[in-house]
Amino acid sequence: MAFKLLLLLTFLAWDRARALSLHQRDVPAVVKLPITRRAYNPTRLEKRTSNVSTSFDVPYPYFDALIYSNLAIGTPPQTILFEVDTSSGYLETTATNSTWCTFSNCSSEFFNVNASSTYKFANGNFNATYTWNDVYAGDFGNEVVFVDGVTLDVDLAVNYGPEPNSILGLGYIPGKTSDTPATILQTLVNSGHIKSAAYSLWMDGSTQTDTGTDSELEGVILFGGVDTAKYNGDLHTMSIPASNGIHYLPVVLVTEVTLQNGTSSSQTSGLPAYMALDSIVSMTFLPNNVVEGLYQDLNVWWDSGSQVGIIDCALKQKDYNITFTFIDFSITSPLSDFIGLGSGEICEFHIVPSFSEASVLGATFMRSAYVVYDLSNNEISMAQANFDESEGQVLEIGSGASSISGIFETAIAVATVPTAVVSPTGNWVFPVESTSSASTFATSTSTGVAAAPTANSNSVMVGLAGVGLLIAL
Ligand SMILES: *[C@@H]1O[C@H](CO)[C@@H](O)[C@H](O)[C@H]1NC(C)=O
Ligand SMILES: *[C@@H]1O[C@H](CO)[C@@H](O)[C@H](O)[C@H]1NC(C)=O
Ligand SMILES: *[C@@H]1O[C@H](CO)[C@@H](O)[C@H](O)[C@H]1NC(C)=O
Ligand SMILES: *[C@@H]1O[C@H](CO)[C@@H](O)[C@H](O)[C@H]1NC(C)=O
Ligand SMILES: *[C@@H]1O[C@H](CO)[C@@H](O)[C@H](O)[C@H]1NC(C)=O
Ligand SMILES: *[C@@H]1O[C@H](CO)[C@@H](O)[C@H](O)[C@H]1NC(C)=O
Ligand SMILES: *[C@@H]1O[C@H](CO)[C@@H](O)[C@H](O)[C@H]1NC(C)=O
């Protein structure tokens, strides 16, 4: 099949040096994977409360906004539900004879190794600690996976341990050696299905019936391509910084966070900061000073027990926005996207302090952004998501390296590049507890927030199950 190159489009970044190389082709080399952003699978939630080494009792609302995708793996194909993780690199699935499954009914959604004639064991070295200290351990093997009509021979990590999730890792594997398995992204490149280890991720806001973190949204991961109908304006490209030469997380530099409600209130204290653009974290974790400013403006009360903000539900209906600025461009999200389910006037607010840990723009934020993760060039490109049905075209991301000028790194001094997203430990007392309307919420909590997570670290751990890869190999 001949691919005809019609046009080379280059979107220039602010410093006129960084760019994605996009190509219009008759048949672009792209692979499309449908995704869904929705509340944590209630079936799994039930399983979560079952009798494993630690018992969890966390209500539904807490499990908002993780991004899922089904993949068929093995022969005959088994359909497994994966959590999409932009921050880790393994394609990991939990086996039907895992420690988890010895306590739970795992007849479906888990991988039965023996039932697949194409699974090939490689070694028993899989042992990865994800954030919240969830350890996934077992074997590395090879298996066939079916994506968008394409059959791939992939490296698969099989978990036989006590953690239940299957994770579609689309990020880095830090500290790679020659026996480190190939990521699915690399496999797509090596097999010629895409030209560059890059993908777009977007949510389709038009199917949304309600706003808020509890609403279900469809979306797409487009491996190797960009769909110009799905964003407004230009894509802005930023380099992903390395720490001691190693790339850990897809992080971007946030310079300002602004609340807009007719007047603007801008938070810059604690900024600029690198933040992980992480699909497997549902909430948005911002630097403490930024959160404190937002909480004061919005009369949010910090519930240190459940580790979430508590906000007046009426604000869900108001025309308030939060704008995140990345040096020279911004992404605007409706405030309602960060307001979870609640009871009466009491709702959970899902922008929370990151304490001493890395800040994270999670799956909630990602509804408003069209994001291109370009791991070949260690760059992220972003634009405001476009939910209107509009004309556009799918462009192929080319294999060329783009030049990085270094202006980005020298223009703004930022102390550290996060190497891992980890959970705040202990029962933090966040400062904002004393404004008058906040105490109104405080007194109503005993009934109103009965549905909120209980005060233990497990609730936090489970709520953000699997978050980002902390240590690999
Ligand atoms: C949990 O397991 C223990 C020991 O296996 C058993 O005694 C107990 O009844 C179980 N609890 C529940 C809630 O199933
Ligand atoms: C599960 O099955 C695999 C493949 O047969 C085996 O290697 C592994 O030891 C089993 N794990 C457990 C916990 O039984
Ligand atoms: C596969 O079979 C082996 C031995 O026949 C057994 O030990 C293992 O638990 C089985 N694995 C699964 C996933 O059923
Ligand atoms: C296990 O789950 C399957 C499918 O979800 C169901 O058909 C089966 O009845 C369940 N078994 C038990 C013992 O709960
Ligand atoms: C995995 O690694 C952790 C940390 O090094 C270790 O504590 C744990 O025992 C290992 N688990 C397995 C199953 O090898
Ligand atoms: C919030 O953003 C929407 C969409 O961009 C815009 O229509 C609206 O005017 C904004 N509201 C405020 C208060 O800035
Ligand atoms: C916007 O927020 C500020 C700070 O909380 C508040 O004083 C003001 O009344 C709000 N404006 C509107 C239109 O709600």
Side-chain angles (χ1 to χ4, degrees), residues 249 251 274-276 285-286 354-360 418-422:
L249 294 169
V251 295
Y274 282 116
M275 302 192 188
F285 290 80
L286 299 180
S354 52
F355 298 111
S356 58
E357 311 296 356
S359 292
V360 185
T419 53
V421 177
V422 295

Side-chain angles (χ1 to χ4, degrees), residues 39 58 136 158 165 188 193 226 228-229 256 260 294-295 337 369 376 401 452:
V58 182
Y136 284 72
V158 183
N165 301 304
L188 281 163
H193 292 100
V226 162
T228 62
E256 195 174 323
Q260 290 161 323
L294 285 174
Y295 279 24
D337 272 8
S376 313

Side-chain angles (χ1 to χ4, degrees), residues 316-435:
K316 206 166 176 170
Q317 267 70 53
K318 294 247 162 118
D319 176 28
Y320 283 21
N321 292 327
I322 296 188
T323 295
F324 299 84
T325 302
F326 307 87
I327 303 182
D328 69 330
F329 77 101
S330 317
I331 304 285
T332 295
S333 299
L335 179 71
S336 56
D337 272 8
F338 301 97
I339 301 179
L341 292 180
S343 149
E345 61 177 7
I346 310 257
C347 279
E348 290 187 8
F349 186 52
H350 290 162
I351 293 179
V352 296
S354 52
F355 298 111
S356 58
E357 311 296 356
S359 292
V360 185
L361 300 173
T364 314
F365 162 83
M366 287 173 72
R367 183 178 89 89
S368 299
Y370 182 102
V371 186
V372 186
Y373 293 87
D374 179 357
L375 271 54
S376 313
N377 293 310
N378 300 309
E379 291 174 354
I380 286 179
S381 299
M382 274 202 283
Q384 185 78 36
N386 175 23
F387 301 143
D388 300 333
E389 292 297 326
S390 60
E391 292 282 307
Q393 56 188 336
V394 170
L395 302 176
E396 180 182 289
I397 302 173
S399 59
S402 71
S403 61
I404 293 173
S405 69
I407 294 171
F408 183 90
E409 286 75 17
T410 52
I412 295 175
V414 179
T416 45
V417 176
T419 53
V421 177
V422 295
S423 58
T425 49
N427 214 4
W428 293 80
V429 179
F430 189 63
V432 185
E433 290 195 89
S434 57
T435 65

Side-chain angles (χ1 to χ4, degrees), residues 17 20 35 55 93 153 173 216 238 255 313 320 410 458 460 469:
L20 264 178
I35 54 175
S55 67
T93 187
D153 190 4
I173 299 177
E216 182 164 329
M238 298 165 278
T255 49
C313 299
Y320 283 21
T410 52
N458 285 341
V460 174
L469 193 64

